[in-house]
Amino acid sequence: LVERSMRSPQHELTEENGCYRVRISLPELKRAAEIQLNLAPLQLHLIAEESRYELCVTLPDPVRDQEGKAKFDKKARVLTVTLPLESSPASSITSPANHGSTEALDQDGTSDSWKQQQATAAYKQLDEARTAREVAEAKCTAALEQAASAAREVAEKEASLQAAAKKVTDCRAAEAEALAQARTATARLSQAEAEAAALQETLTASQGFAAVARDATSQAEGALAAAVAAERQAQQQVAALPGKSSNSSEKPTPAAPAPAAP
């Protein structure tokens, strides 16, 4: 909101019969009740906040501010404040001529209507203060509720973060265990491969030995067959010798059986 600036009203300060008279023109004054007049020995201060009037007059000489009087001419919209000088003898103050409806103030600076107006203004300020307090309390309550809600959200997020951190720790542990198992499996695989290579070498050697054995067996079979043939040839030669009957009682030596192939 843009704050409205105050304006200084036109005024006239005169000295008459041992008194200062301050005539203040307030043509745009909305309500007489809004006038707030404060008097001091060397100063007069007027403020009408709603109409945006403010005036501060420094007096040349001290006055008896407690004996001051004021009248407001509603028709002319002029406030006249009469202040007896401190140096003048105490006497009754002559009021200016009454050209219209006026409001007179007591010696303390306020008339009954002004007192009522000030009381009304004070009650209004009190109500405004109470309303402001209630609004502030409502805002404070809302802020506290928001703070509590934010605290709950923070607690929930912290719990979620802790759960996520636990999951990460568990995953890392599982990863480490899997890596250890993989290393163990790799070592076992290497060992199995080494054993398979050794068995392959043994098999290759066995296959070589078997080939040598087959060759030896073939050679032995050939030698046996040759021996059997030589024996039969010898028997035939013996049978052909003279003096040997064909039905000789000597029986031929049976041939040795051939060895079984491996």
Side-chain angles (χ1 to χ4, degrees):
L1 296 177
V2 179
E3 184 178 358
R4 297 190 304 172
S5 60
M6 304 297 286
R7 53 187 173 176
S8 178
Q10 294 182 355
H11 65 283
E12 179 185 7
L13 174 63
T14 59
E15 182 179 353
E16 301 176 8
N17 300 324
C19 299
Y20 282 137
R21 282 195 173 90
V22 184
R23 293 178 176 86
I24 305 169
S25 177
L26 304 170
E28 298 182 15
L29 184 70
K30 296 181 179 179
R31 295 180 299 109
E34 63 175 302
I35 297 177
Q36 296 181 17
L37 183 63
N38 297 313
L39 302 176
L42 288 172
Q43 191 177 68
L44 177 150
H45 181 246
L46 176 144
I47 186 169
E49 187 172 357
E50 185 176 353
S51 300
R52 297 186 294 118
Y53 282 126
E54 184 173 13
L55 175 66
C56 185
V57 179
T58 300
L59 303 174
D61 299 300
V63 297
R64 295 193 293 273
D65 54 291
Q66 298 296 326
E67 299 178 11
K69 290 188 177 182
K71 287 186 178 181
F72 181 64
D73 188 336
K74 291 184 178 180
K75 183 177 181 181
R77 315 302 289 178
V78 173
L79 177 68
T80 302
V81 182
T82 305
L83 301 167
L85 290 168
E86 186 71 32
S87 59
S88 64
S91 60
S92 61
I93 300 174
T94 304
S95 300
N98 185 359
H99 298 290
S101 178
T102 61
E103 290 181 359
L105 285 83
D106 295 336
Q107 291 182 355
D108 60 355
T110 57
S111 64
D112 291 340
S113 61
W114 276 60
K115 291 179 181 179
Q116 183 65 31
Q117 293 167 5
Q118 290 181 349
T120 302
Y123 281 119
K124 180 180 179 181
Q125 292 178 354
L126 179 60
D127 292 338
E128 291 176 352
R130 287 175 178 173
T131 302
R133 185 191 65 184
E134 292 174 355
V135 171
E137 289 177 350
K139 290 182 178 179
C140 182
T141 302
L144 290 175
E145 292 178 354
Q146 291 179 355
S149 178
R152 288 193 295 269
E153 291 181 359
V154 169
E156 292 175 356
K157 290 181 179 179
E158 287 180 350
S160 299
L161 180 61
Q162 292 177 356
K166 186 177 183 302
K167 288 182 180 179
V168 170
T169 303
D170 295 341
C171 289
R172 288 178 179 173
E175 181 183 8
E177 184 178 358
L179 287 175
Q181 292 178 355
R183 293 191 188 98
T184 302
T186 302
R188 291 178 179 177
L189 178 60
S190 298
Q191 183 179 0
E193 289 176 348
E195 292 177 353
L199 290 174
Q200 184 64 37
E201 292 177 357
T202 302
L203 178 60
T204 302
S206 298
Q207 290 175 350
F209 293 152
V212 172
R214 284 194 296 270
D215 294 341
T217 301
S218 298
Q219 292 176 3
E221 289 177 350
L224 179 59
V228 171
E231 182 181 3
R232 289 178 179 172
Q233 186 178 4
Q235 288 178 354
Q236 291 175 0
Q237 290 177 359
V238 171
L241 291 177
K244 294 292 183 177
S245 59
S246 57
N247 55 357
S248 175
S249 60
E250 294 181 0
K251 296 180 179 179
T253 303

